[in-house]
Amino acid sequence: MLFFEPALPLPAVGERTATLRAQVRRFIADELASGGFEPQCNSWTEGLGGAFSRRLGARGWIGYHWPVAYGGCGGSAFDTLTINEELLAAGAPVAAHWIAARQSAPLLMRFGSEAQRQAFLPRIAAGDTYFAIGMSEPDVGSDLASVRTRAEPSGARWRLDGRKVWTSGAHIAHYAIVLCRTAPADPTARHAGLSQFIVDLKAPGVTIRPILMLDGSHHFNEVTFDGVELPAECLVGQAGDGWKQVTSELAYERSGPERFLSTMPIVERCLRLVLEAPAAGSDAAAGRLLARLITLRNMSLAIWGALEAGRSPAIEAAMVKDLGTNFERDTLEIVREAMDADGRVAGDAVLAGLLASAWPLAPTYNLRGGTNEVLRNMIAKQLQAR
């Protein structure tokens, strides 16, 4: 495991990456000045701004490290990470393209056919095509080996039946990559017989119903597949390889900076107010937040380095997701207490607004991407095996 290695391998930040970060910051400043967006927490799930995604795509900032042939700029994975960090920290509306760029595209790059890469990757990089994740199901939760959605051969095609829930962005997405059974479940080999398909969410037989949050916001959905006909070329990789593919995909889903930067607009606003005023007792709490943030960022960087090297650090990604989402929830409580007790931040309308918008979504932090309890079981089993 990466985090048990004597020296945690971190990337060296070169001049090119530093220049890119400065460019992204200037772009964000210009967007804010022109009213291009309003900063928000959870911007990678709530900020469904298609026009903003297309502006990023026009600059080559979606999939920056992908090969030029697939719409990228041939940069490094750390260049893309730099872009994403700045966008998330600013609360920019990146939700429209986020899932497609974060995990659907890398999955197709690694396991998809050349025809699939050519068909989808340039459109994702342009900010024109969005994907959703078809994993979780009712009564299944994080135990993906128990999925009951099925795809059965139907002549030269496949027929898909089943139901997915907590499908973020399905109501605006063009496609979903759906994990399903293509062979009967085997109690002695629970991970066998699973496959993944690219499903057109506008196809006949697909029904999308909203799952609304307490505040009325909408990014979760229930998606039902009723006899959806799938061409053979929609199969990703080989039939039966779905478990290997989905665990690789989950490493991208669980380790990225969105797992600890969802509440960064709150952290940034609070720290700015604190640093612009004389020192006070709550500075220690601010210091603890920053220490945790830097640790999580280093862990995330190490995982991205492993992914770029072709490794699949699923357990390390689970650690980042667990620690990161707890950090996000703790941030809300720490800043709320500061607003009650620290005159430097009390009464700040911008900070109060950010907190009010983030609180209703806080319970989802430990659920989305796999519940923390399930992730801890995974981590414990790995530690026990050592």
Side-chain angles (χ1 to χ4, degrees):
M1 294 175 65
L2 290 175
F3 301 146
F4 286 91
E5 294 177 2
L8 183 66
L10 296 176
V13 178
E15 182 177 345
R16 185 183 70 175
T17 302
T19 300
L20 177 62
R21 188 182 297 278
Q23 292 172 349
V24 178
R25 287 183 176 179
R26 285 196 298 271
F27 167 77
I28 290 171
D30 291 342
E31 285 282 320
L32 290 170
S34 65
F37 72 91
E38 288 288 333
Q40 64 183 121
C41 293
N42 306 293
S43 64
W44 63 279
T45 59
E46 305 301 306
L48 296 168
F52 186 85
S53 293
R54 288 189 290 274
R55 291 199 292 275
L56 292 176
R59 287 164 173 78
W61 288 351
I62 300 175
Y64 188 86
H65 66 293
W66 302 350
V68 174
Y70 300 138
C73 295
S76 73
F78 302 113
D79 292 333
T80 295
L81 185 61
T82 295
I83 294 168
N84 289 344
E85 283 181 335
E86 293 300 326
L87 293 170
L88 290 168
V94 295
H97 72 268
W98 192 261
I99 289 171
R102 177 186 69 184
Q103 66 193 91
S104 302
L107 178 77
L108 295 177
M109 202 95 67
R110 184 171 180 182
F111 298 107
S113 67
E114 183 60 24
Q116 289 170 343
R117 297 185 194 109
Q118 294 288 350
F120 296 109
L121 298 185
R123 290 153 57 189
I124 294 172
D128 289 330
T129 297
Y130 317 137
F131 274 67
I133 304 168
M135 293 186 192
S136 296
E137 296 185 2
D139 304 320
V140 169
S142 300
D143 182 16
L144 295 180
S146 299
V147 298
R148 290 172 290 191
T149 296
R150 297 188 59 82
E152 298 180 345
S154 178
R157 303 165 73 85
W158 296 81
R159 178 186 172 93
L160 181 68
D161 291 278
R163 185 159 56 121
K164 299 291 181 178
V165 291
W166 315 121
T167 313
S168 296
H171 57 300
I172 68 157
H174 303 94
Y175 300 93
I177 295 183
V178 177
L179 178 69
C180 60
R181 286 221 154 266
T182 49
D186 180 354
T188 65
R190 297 183 67 245
H191 300 148
L194 296 167
S195 304
Q196 288 182 301
F197 290 86
I198 302 171
V199 180
D200 183 345
L201 292 177
K202 301 297 187 293
V206 178
T207 303
I208 300 173
R209 299 182 180 90
I211 300 175
L212 301 181
M213 304 301 291
L214 288 173
D215 62 352
S217 61
H218 172 209
H219 72 266
F220 283 136
N221 300 273
E222 174 192 70
V223 183
T224 303
F225 308 103
D226 185 8
V228 179
E229 293 288 333
L230 301 176
E233 57 267 24
C234 289
L235 175 66
V236 179
Q238 301 297 316
D241 283 350
W243 185 258
K244 176 182 70 176
Q245 295 172 191
V246 82
T247 52
S248 171
E249 184 180 349
L250 285 170
Y252 289 97
E253 179 178 352
R254 291 171 174 165
S255 65
E258 70 272 25
R259 294 304 175 190
F260 54 91
L261 293 181
S262 293
T263 54
M264 190 60 191
I266 290 175
V267 176
E268 192 275 339
R269 180 68 181 180
C270 182
L271 291 178
R272 185 180 298 276
L273 293 169
V274 166
L275 291 173
E276 289 176 351
S282 59
D283 286 355
R288 286 194 293 271
L289 277 179
L290 283 175
R292 291 172 67 181
L293 177 63
I294 293 300
T295 300
L296 285 163
R297 181 174 184 265
N298 285 348
M299 295 172 73
S300 181
L301 284 172
I303 292 176
W304 272 68
L307 289 168
E308 190 172 39
R311 298 168 66 177
S312 296
I315 300 301
E316 291 86 352
M319 291 181 180
V320 171
K321 196 273 184 187
D322 183 354
L323 295 171
T325 53
N326 279 308
F327 166 77
E328 291 177 329
R329 293 188 67 168
D330 291 347
T331 292
L332 298 182
E333 186 62 33
I334 289 169
V335 174
R336 184 194 64 78
E337 291 176 355
M339 291 196 73
D340 289 339
D342 193 328
R344 297 172 299 178
V345 298
D348 184 76
V350 173
L351 189 56
L354 288 169
L355 272 174
S357 66
W359 270 115
L361 295 174
T364 71
Y365 295 168
N366 298 138
L367 299 175
R368 59 193 186 193
T371 66
N372 283 28
E373 290 78 10
V374 168
L375 297 181
R376 289 174 186 178
N377 281 338
M378 292 169 51
I379 296 166
K381 288 178 181 178
Q382 183 70 23
L383 292 174
Q384 188 176 39
R386 294 177 62 88

